[in-house]
Amino acid sequence: MKFKDQVDFVRQHIKKNKLRVFMTVLAATMGTAFLIILASVGFGLHDTIRNEVLSNRLVTEIQVYSNEGSISEPEVQKLKKREHVKAVVFRQNLAVGIETTLEGYIGNQEFIITDFIEEGKVNFELQEGRLPKASNEIVVGSHFNETLSKIGEANEEASEEESALQYDGKLLGKQFTMKISDGEDGMNENEMQLTIVGVGKKPAKEWNHDQKIYADVAVGQEIEKIYYSKVERPKHPDDSQLFYGEVNVYADDLENVKAVSGKLKKDGYSVYSISDELDQLDVFFLALKAGLIFVGTIAILISSIGIFNTMTMAVTERTREIGVMKAIGAKPKLIQRLFLMESAWIGILGTFLAVVISYGVSILSNYILPIIVSSALGEDDFGDFEVTFSVIPWQLVVIASVISIGVAMISGWRPARKATKIDVINALRQEL
């Protein structure tokens, strides 16, 4: 019997029992769709959290800490020469307070000394302006103006909070005065005149405010002169309490982050990178997705009972037909193949419908659920946090298809084997 004839044979018998086959296919569809939709929640959560982690920082960034204290400038220069290192950003935070004055507005900000050549290599993003070139030029964060305020004098009875006026003028090109604390709750009489040549790009998250001042190393040297004009300079440079630093190493590619981190660990550094966080995240969600797929497989196993019953009844109803086929020379393998093809057809059709339904449910859930949750929380949306409730990758479709069709074939195997063992004489004696 040719393959085409075998397909026609299976199609004819399916048409004879449309309702029973339809219910069996429906059960297989529901079981497979349940597996895909349930597991898609795990993929959706994984995708949401992974994107959130990646959006908060550079993926090639490696935070480096020395086990012996702070990292010195010579060590930073050695780190720059390492293989697969694109840049080494050494940011030194000013440990004492400052007071800035801009057009009558006063503020207190965090002051950072950095190397803008290295910052430029890792795309220090600006909202406007440029990076500093001269020793008196600086870049300010996008929310710098929020730290500047002027106390109003029009209404003396008004509270200080009510009469405080926030600076709302343009920052680019403005010059401001900066005084440095002398370490005794006072400000040094010496002043620095700094010019704003760049304004940093707004952080991706609304709740993250950048109010810092970023200056070049030359500015840091001038600050040391002013500070130590009032305070005794330590005998050893490493004993200075004026600055405390943090070092971030940037790999040239995401694939090299692990290699660079591993070498730094071997050299005695403590490191942390986003790849470490992603590895832990991936392991957790791998276990979660495997668990969800296992639970979904149970639903498919339950639906397999229907396939088994359908195929068993098909064998019983066709006993005489099977006997005729054997009498005219049909081999047991052919008979077994015909029934396995029928059970496989049920599994394939059920899987196809389940995939279509699952994608439809996934699209609708990603559109409708955020609206429902937002309404329940009394908010318009999730802000900057983009939530994906369901994601169906092709790998999940393949896994679900293999499980569904495999279970359907296994369910039909026993009835198919039973059909091959039917006695010809007894089968021909049965009435039609």
Side-chain angles (χ1 to χ4, degrees):
M1 183 182 287
K2 296 181 180 179
F3 180 75
K4 181 181 178 181
D5 297 329
Q6 295 176 26
V7 173
D8 291 337
F9 180 85
V10 172
R11 187 187 298 115
Q12 290 173 8
H13 286 86
I14 288 173
K15 287 181 178 180
K16 289 180 181 179
N17 299 283
K18 290 183 179 179
L19 181 60
R20 186 172 65 198
V21 173
F22 170 77
M23 296 304 294
T24 306
V25 171
L26 181 62
T29 300
M30 293 175 64
T32 307
F34 178 76
L35 185 156
I36 296 174
I37 294 171
L38 184 65
S40 72
V41 175
F43 282 93
L45 291 174
H46 189 190
D47 188 66
T48 298
I49 297 177
R50 187 181 180 87
N51 290 338
E52 179 67 15
V53 171
L54 291 174
S55 68
N56 281 336
R57 63 190 77 167
L58 290 172
V59 294
T60 57
E61 181 183 276
I62 306 169
Q63 299 174 17
V64 183
Y65 307 94
S66 174
N67 295 325
E68 299 178 355
S70 60
I71 298 177
S72 62
E73 183 63 33
E75 288 181 280
V76 172
Q77 297 303 321
K78 290 181 181 179
L79 291 174
K80 294 179 182 179
K81 298 177 182 178
R82 286 178 175 263
E83 188 178 9
H84 299 302
V85 171
K86 180 180 180 180
V88 179
V89 175
F90 182 32
R91 289 186 174 182
Q92 301 180 75
N93 295 59
L94 187 62
V96 296
I98 62 171
E99 183 181 273
T100 56
T101 305
L102 174 60
E103 297 180 355
Y105 290 81
I106 300 174
N108 304 98
Q109 299 85 12
E110 185 178 351
F111 199 95
I112 294 175
I113 300 297
T114 187
D115 184 349
F116 283 103
I117 296 177
E118 296 297 307
E119 294 277 8
K121 292 179 181 178
V122 292
N123 299 325
F124 186 93
E125 296 182 301
L126 297 175
Q127 181 175 313
E128 56 181 338
R130 59 173 175 80
L131 295 178
K133 295 179 180 179
S135 58
N136 67 329
E137 297 179 342
I138 55 95
V139 170
V140 296
S142 56
H143 299 89
F144 173 81
N145 61 326
E146 293 181 0
T147 63
L148 297 170
S149 60
K150 181 192 292 184
I151 305 301
E153 300 177 354
N155 186 0
E156 296 181 357
E157 297 180 357
S159 65
E160 183 177 75
E161 182 178 354
E162 292 174 340
S163 58
L165 301 176
Q166 183 177 296
Y167 182 79
D168 59 357
K170 290 185 177 181
L171 294 172
L172 196 63
K174 294 294 178 67
Q175 189 178 68
F176 66 88
T177 302
M178 186 180 77
K179 292 183 178 181
I180 304 164
S181 172
D182 59 8
E184 298 179 356
D185 298 328
M187 290 295 169
N188 200 302
E189 294 178 358
N190 296 322
E191 299 178 347
M192 294 184 64
Q193 300 295 323
L194 300 173
T195 303
I196 301 173
V197 296
V199 179
K201 186 177 180 180
K202 287 186 178 181
K205 305 304 175 184
E206 290 184 359
W207 45 262
N208 189 6
H209 286 198
D210 185 4
Q211 303 171 339
K212 302 180 182 70
I213 298 174
Y214 301 91
D216 194 61
V217 177
V219 179
Q221 295 172 349
E222 185 64 27
I223 289 175
E224 285 187 337
K225 292 180 182 178
I226 295 174
Y227 181 75
Y228 289 120
S229 65
K230 292 280 186 175
V231 179
E232 184 180 355
R233 185 182 292 270
K235 295 180 180 179
H236 196 279
D238 293 340
D239 295 333
S240 174
Q241 299 294 321
L242 186 56
F243 294 102
Y244 63 94
E246 57 179 25
V247 177
N248 292 329
V249 173
Y250 294 86
D252 55 7
D253 193 86
L254 178 60
E255 296 177 355
N256 296 323
V257 171
K258 286 186 178 181
V260 174
S261 296
K263 290 180 180 179
L264 289 170
K265 289 178 182 178
K266 287 182 180 179
D267 292 340
Y269 292 101
S270 297
V271 301
Y272 176 79
S273 67
I274 193 172
S275 65
D276 298 329
E277 188 174 338
L278 291 177
D279 287 343
Q280 297 172 6
L281 194 67
D282 291 343
V283 170
F284 171 78
F285 276 101
L286 178 63
L288 176 63
K289 288 182 281 191
L292 293 175
I293 291 174
F294 175 77
V295 173
T297 303
I298 295 175
I300 295 180
L301 292 175
I302 294 173
S303 69
S304 70
I305 298 174
I307 299 175
F308 178 82
N309 290 336
T310 297
M311 297 308 301
T312 301
M313 292 180 67
V315 171
T316 303
E317 291 173 350
R318 301 175 200 167
T319 300
R320 184 179 176 81
E321 189 176 345
I322 294 169
V324 172
M325 291 177 64
K326 282 190 171 184
I328 61 176
K331 295 181 179 180
K333 286 186 177 180
L334 174 60
I335 296 172
Q336 180 177 333
R337 188 184 308 123
L338 290 172
F339 283 95
L340 285 176
M341 286 175 64
E342 188 169 337
S343 62
W345 184 89
I346 293 173
I348 292 171
L349 182 58
T351 301
F352 174 76
L353 293 175
V355 171
V356 173
I357 293 171
S358 298
Y359 272 106
V361 172
S362 177
I363 293 170
L364 286 175
S365 64
N366 287 331
Y367 176 75
I368 295 174
L369 286 180
I371 298 174
I372 296 174
V373 174
S374 298
S375 300
L377 296 175
E379 299 177 359
D380 294 336
D381 51 32
F382 290 95
D384 292 324
F385 189 68
E386 296 182 3
V387 180
T388 304
F389 288 94
S390 176
V391 171
I392 305 178
W394 67 267
Q395 296 93 331
L396 177 57
V397 174
V398 171
I399 292 171
S401 300
V402 170
I403 294 174
S404 179
I405 297 172
V407 168
M409 294 286 288
I410 294 171
S411 300
W413 182 82
R414 180 68 180 174
R417 288 289 297 170
K418 181 182 177 181
T420 62
K421 296 178 181 179
I422 291 177
D423 183 71
V424 177
I425 297 175
N426 291 333
L428 293 174
R429 286 176 179 173
Q430 287 194 4
E431 297 180 1
L432 291 173

